[in-house]
Amino acid sequence: MTTPPAAPREPFEHLEHGVPRPDPYQWMASGGTRLADHLRAERTFYDSACAHLHSLVSALRSEMVGRLPEADVSARWRRTRYAYYTAAQTGRDYADLMREINGAETESKQNRSPEVLLDVESLANDPDRGTGYLELGVTLVSPSEDLLAYSFDRDGDEVYELRFRDLRTGTDLPEVVSRSYYGGAWSADSAWFFYTVHDAQYRPFQVWRHRVGGPTADDVLVVEEPDERFEVQVRGTRSGDLVVVWSASNTTSECWVVDAHDVTRGPWSVGGRREGVRYHAEHRRLPDGGADLLVVTDDDAVESRLMTATVPDGADQDRTGWAEARPESGHEQLLRADAFAAGVILTVRTDGRRALVLVPHDDLAGTRGFGLMESDHPDGDTVLFRSPQYDARTVTVLEESWLRPGVAWSMGLESGLLDKVWEQQAPGHDPARYVSERRTFPSADGTAVPATILRHRDTPLDGSAPALVYGYGSYGAVDEPAWDPALPSLLDRGVVYVYAHNRGGGELGRRWYLDGKLEHKQHTFDDHIAVADGLARDGLVDPARIATRGLSAGGLLQGAVLSQRPDRWRAVVAEVPFVDVVTTMFDASIPLTITEWEEWGDPRRRADFEWLLAYSPYDNPPPAGERPDLLVTGALHDPRVMVHEPAKWVARLRDTDPEWSPRCHFRVETGAGAHVGPSGRFGHLAYEAEVYAWILDRLS
């Protein structure tokens, strides 16, 4: 197939606020056989147009897979009786959930044999139900350690089937919850399990309680959120004494607690709901035998502060009983608080990177000095790993980097001493061959935008090398550093990889996020362009060979910078891009639209409509004749960016520049597949090999 498919045009016009918007491809939003046929034609054209890359894709995939160890074993997390971990065996795409008896060195050889709790590979390859795709949702072991709640999605639509397994026999119990979402919690006696359910718009709006071993028809509704801006979640506390339910919009949240020892007691609100205030609660047992809640909130503190609160008992409470324990800092953002018997670990973000602060229970402000752990690497990150035991004397801390495999440390909660307990394996990879550094570049309004630059040690920053700039910049999210076995294959070929930490993301705290959302969204696009322009202006990379890549909201970023600066890019990769911004945000029937109004704006308001229309990639195609090569991805079952959105955009771009249209490729998953691409270790790396091959072909 040498010619891209031409999507049929049908007369259609949107008319909002007196502004006409012609949309000849709106028919795609109806789905059906015609859209399915068109998507298959798009995939056929992509496969044909990229056939010449097969040998490069194969070489890249082989290199990437070669950096995976034969047995990829995770760090362990310890409960009372067992230590748990995941392990992907040689040639297997999915890692199994495993455990072995704690203190195995004192047990007989027979007793310390690893036990497979969940054979994920067999679950994925079920001959009756397998689809080629599998994603796990929850995998939560009960407090008794005799039961496992697990859920899985076989299509990529984030609808998870929830099941329960008796770990003493290895058999599943008969009950099945056919529609569940992320999150879950056990009661203290392991008799009940709490789970979330999403509605037809994929909004998690209910928390239910299931009696293990009983029929799902008898499940009890615990919390239902009627406000369509909000999504509910549920989790257990490390103490095991409470179950926390919380409902959050983009700007506001509320928490409730349920007594985990008597699940009929609660839910009771921790602090009520106040518009524009977010908070979350962690349970803490006090040395005197009492208990309270640690509350992280942005109430009168943009970068958040730590409060203490009483545990509601028998009735809802408001925030009048809260007391400040750690004020907002001028140089760091408080992200979370994790309570243990021996102290509290605070996760903070300072200068764009996470760090851990250890404080005693009687000095949460840390005025008497405190322990601090942060990575020594410019591209490094430090995070508290799974440490489920409240009375543990040590916790596990994970240090990760884009260029170095992860390392887990056991940290003493009383001594602060570190002991390496695990190191991720990466055969053939030598971190010393690569370098990372942080630079800043001035945006259009003068704001200094940080960027992390990764490269092979032999690749000079003298203006001769090509570059790939990656960006996201939405929801206050941060693309936290993590070892990626695919990335060295790009760096080894002389490409400079750049993470642009644009406003709208959370790298520099909540203020950084707020300066890149709603009416300030243009800052995100300006920042991304500024990083690329700065790389070229400062003579660091070849100005004629700069590519850019992003996914979802990062795909919107790609669409915007393609339209606003088509001359800057040699190639653009827009993965599952949110590009039909105005039309989507008007359509409340589309999943996530209402919950997203506080992020992007509500176009029913004229001011919001105008700023959305000003940057919407679908409504603002770039001029013909100046466009870079473009790779777009999409997935038929994607519930976050409906597949018709990138399909419409591709059709419109081709229609507005027919001569350029063969240089626009749409890689669409027409079967099972998710928002973030194929599942499994090998499936994901095969996808990355395709994308990297396409990019390298354009940058060569």
Side-chain angles (χ1 to χ4, degrees):
M1 189 174 181
T2 58
T3 305
R9 293 171 53 90
E10 293 185 356
F12 186 90
E13 185 176 80
H14 303 280
L15 185 64
E16 302 100 359
H17 302 291
V19 179
R21 291 188 301 119
D23 190 353
Y25 303 107
Q26 179 60 19
W27 62 266
M28 293 187 184
S30 301
T33 302
R34 187 161 58 145
L35 176 62
D37 290 342
H38 177 70
L39 296 178
R40 282 191 290 270
E42 286 282 13
R43 183 57 188 249
T44 299
F45 173 69
Y46 164 80
D47 290 338
S48 176
C50 297
H52 67 289
L53 298 176
H54 284 179
S55 61
L56 178 56
V57 171
S58 179
L60 289 169
R61 182 182 182 278
S62 179
E63 292 173 12
M64 296 171 183
V65 171
R67 297 186 190 98
L68 298 177
E70 290 189 2
D72 198 354
V73 180
S74 76
R76 284 163 166 74
W77 60 97
R78 297 187 182 278
R79 304 277 298 269
T80 303
R81 295 162 54 198
Y82 295 93
Y84 297 82
Y85 59 99
T86 62
Q89 302 302 323
T90 304
R92 291 168 70 93
D93 217 356
Y94 299 90
D96 297 331
L97 178 61
M98 312 284 293
R99 75 178 179 186
E100 59 188 33
I101 293 176
N102 256 336
E105 64 276 4
T106 65
E107 301 289 341
S108 68
K109 184 175 181 180
Q110 179 181 358
N111 285 342
R112 66 173 180 259
S113 298
E115 178 185 357
V116 179
L117 303 186
L118 190 62
D119 185 341
V120 184
E121 189 81 10
S122 296
L123 190 65
N125 296 319
D126 186 317
D128 298 323
R129 302 181 60 196
T131 62
Y133 176 90
L134 186 95
E135 189 68 32
L136 289 178
V138 298
T139 51
L140 293 175
V141 175
S142 66
S144 67
E145 300 187 67
D146 290 331
L147 297 166
L148 170 70
Y150 72 97
S151 64
F152 52 89
D153 165 22
R154 295 187 187 276
D155 295 315
D157 59 1
E158 299 182 54
V159 176
Y160 290 85
E161 179 180 303
L162 174 63
R163 307 207 59 153
F164 302 91
R165 178 164 295 181
D166 187 331
L167 299 180
R168 294 161 295 191
T169 63
T171 59
D172 285 348
L173 301 180
E175 64 262 37
V176 175
V177 178
S178 59
R179 185 181 182 93
S180 70
Y181 203 55
Y182 303 106
W186 285 97
S187 62
D189 61 3
S190 304
W192 297 88
F193 188 77
F194 296 78
Y195 63 93
T196 58
V197 171
H198 41 17
D199 60 18
Q201 277 68 48
Y202 292 83
R203 178 180 71 96
F205 76 119
Q206 294 176 332
V207 172
W208 290 78
R209 186 178 77 235
H210 172 71
R211 177 82 182 192
V212 178
T216 58
D218 294 341
D219 289 0
V220 178
L221 178 63
V222 179
V223 169
E224 181 170 4
E225 176 55 74
D227 192 328
E228 293 181 287
R229 298 175 301 158
F230 288 74
E231 298 183 351
V232 297
Q233 300 179 64
V234 61
R235 69 170 181 87
T237 57
R238 183 175 289 104
S239 67
D241 296 330
L242 295 177
V243 171
V244 178
V245 178
W246 72 103
S247 182
S249 75
N250 186 278
T251 62
T252 306
S253 67
E254 181 176 9
C255 282
W256 300 267
V257 294
V258 175
D259 187 339
H261 299 278
D262 181 354
V263 294
T264 65
R265 302 186 71 246
W268 301 309
S269 182
V270 171
R273 183 177 304 187
R274 290 170 293 147
E275 193 69 29
V277 174
R278 301 177 309 144
Y279 67 94
H280 194 66
E282 165 76 348
H283 187 240
R284 179 174 67 149
R285 296 176 185 162
L286 296 171
D288 63 4
D292 67 3
L293 296 172
L294 299 177
V295 179
V296 175
T297 180
D298 64 359
D299 181 16
D300 199 26
V302 177
E303 304 300 347
S304 294
R305 56 179 173 155
L306 183 64
M307 316 285 282
T308 59
T310 57
V311 180
D313 187 1
D316 294 340
Q317 65 184 26
D318 59 26
R319 58 95 55 206
T320 55
W322 295 5
E324 184 176 80
R326 186 183 182 91
E328 180 183 16
S329 168
H331 67 277
E332 68 183 22
Q333 179 187 22
L334 178 61
L335 299 175
R336 60 180 291 162
D338 287 274
F340 297 86
V344 176
I345 294 180
L346 306 175
T347 302
V348 301
R349 191 179 302 283
T350 304
D351 193 27
R353 300 198 301 164
R354 287 186 297 188
L356 301 178
V357 180
L358 175 60
V359 295
H361 284 289
D362 61 351
D363 186 22
L364 296 175
T367 57
R368 298 201 308 268
F370 51 84
L372 174 68
M373 182 175 181
E374 59 185 341
S375 175
D376 294 329
H377 306 301
D379 63 319
D381 179 61
T382 306
V383 65
L384 181 66
F385 187 62
R386 296 185 185 182
S387 299
Q389 287 185 283
Y390 188 83
D391 58 355
R393 300 178 65 181
T394 63
V395 296
T396 302
V397 174
L398 184 62
E399 183 182 12
E400 294 193 282
S401 159
W402 283 307
L403 297 177
R404 296 165 183 81
V407 176
W409 306 85
S410 176
M411 182 175 74
L413 288 173
E414 297 174 352
S415 66
L417 296 178
L418 299 173
D419 181 32
K420 185 187 292 186
V421 293
W422 172 83
E423 188 167 5
Q424 192 172 14
Q425 300 302 305
H429 175 69
D430 180 6
R433 294 164 53 190
Y434 308 93
V435 294
S436 64
E437 61 183 279
R438 184 74 66 95
R439 299 203 184 197
T440 61
F441 302 94
S443 193
D445 63 355
T447 299
V449 182
T452 302
I453 301 175
L454 313 174
R455 60 187 171 91
H456 193 283
R457 187 172 294 278
D458 296 336
T459 301
L461 291 178
D462 62 359
S464 63
L468 173 62
V469 183
Y470 189 94
Y472 188 76
S474 293
Y475 303 104
V478 179
D479 190 12
E480 307 289 5
W483 161 242
D484 179 3
L487 184 56
S489 290
L490 199 67
L491 304 183
D492 289 349
R493 287 167 172 79
V495 178
V496 177
Y497 199 92
V498 182
Y499 282 85
H501 304 299
N502 308 319
R503 279 173 286 182
E507 287 89 341
L508 298 186
R510 186 157 178 86
R511 288 180 176 85
W512 192 251
Y513 162 53
L514 296 176
D515 202 21
K517 65 176 291 191
L518 296 175
E519 69 269 28
H520 305 301
K521 192 62 201 171
Q522 183 59 41
H523 288 163
T524 306
F525 315 138
D526 289 343
D527 291 357
H528 199 74
I529 293 168
V531 169
D533 282 346
L535 292 166
R537 181 189 60 250
D538 295 350
L540 302 177
V541 304
D542 184 348
R545 292 192 294 159
I546 300 177
T548 179
R549 180 184 182 186
L551 182 146
S552 193
L556 162 62
L557 169 63
Q558 306 314 307
V561 301
L562 168 67
S563 292
Q564 296 177 19
R565 282 294 303 279
D567 61 304
R568 166 43 61 211
W569 318 107
R570 175 64 190 88
V572 175
V573 179
E575 299 171 273
V576 290
F578 167 46
V579 282
D580 193 8
V581 177
V582 178
T583 305
T584 294
M585 296 312 294
F586 263 118
D587 189 351
S589 70
I590 291 178
L592 306 180
T593 291
I594 295 175
T595 60
E596 301 281 279
W597 281 339
E598 292 179 331
E599 174 73 19
W600 309 103
D602 182 351
R604 297 174 302 176
R605 298 191 293 256
R606 181 63 187 253
D608 299 30
F609 170 78
E610 289 179 350
W611 76 56
L612 289 165
L613 183 60
Y615 67 72
S616 172
Y618 184 74
D619 296 288
N620 298 278
E626 301 180 4
R627 301 178 181 181
D629 289 5
L630 175 65
L631 173 62
V632 181
T633 72
L636 181 63
H637 294 288
D638 186 352
R640 297 183 178 270
V641 176
M642 311 299 284
V643 72
H644 69 262
E645 197 160 333
K648 286 178 60 178
W649 185 48
V650 167
R652 186 159 211 166
L653 289 173
R654 290 209 183 110
D655 182 51
T656 53
D657 194 345
E659 186 175 346
W660 165 86
S661 64
R663 294 163 51 199
C664 175
H665 302 139
F666 186 21
R667 185 196 184 281
V668 59
E669 297 283 1
T670 57
H675 184 65
V676 294
S679 65
R681 299 189 303 162
F682 304 133
H684 173 71
L685 291 179
Y687 169 79
E688 285 295 296
E690 283 188 55
V691 174
Y692 278 178
W694 189 92
I695 292 170
L696 288 166
D697 189 49
R698 271 71 193 167
L699 295 181
S700 63

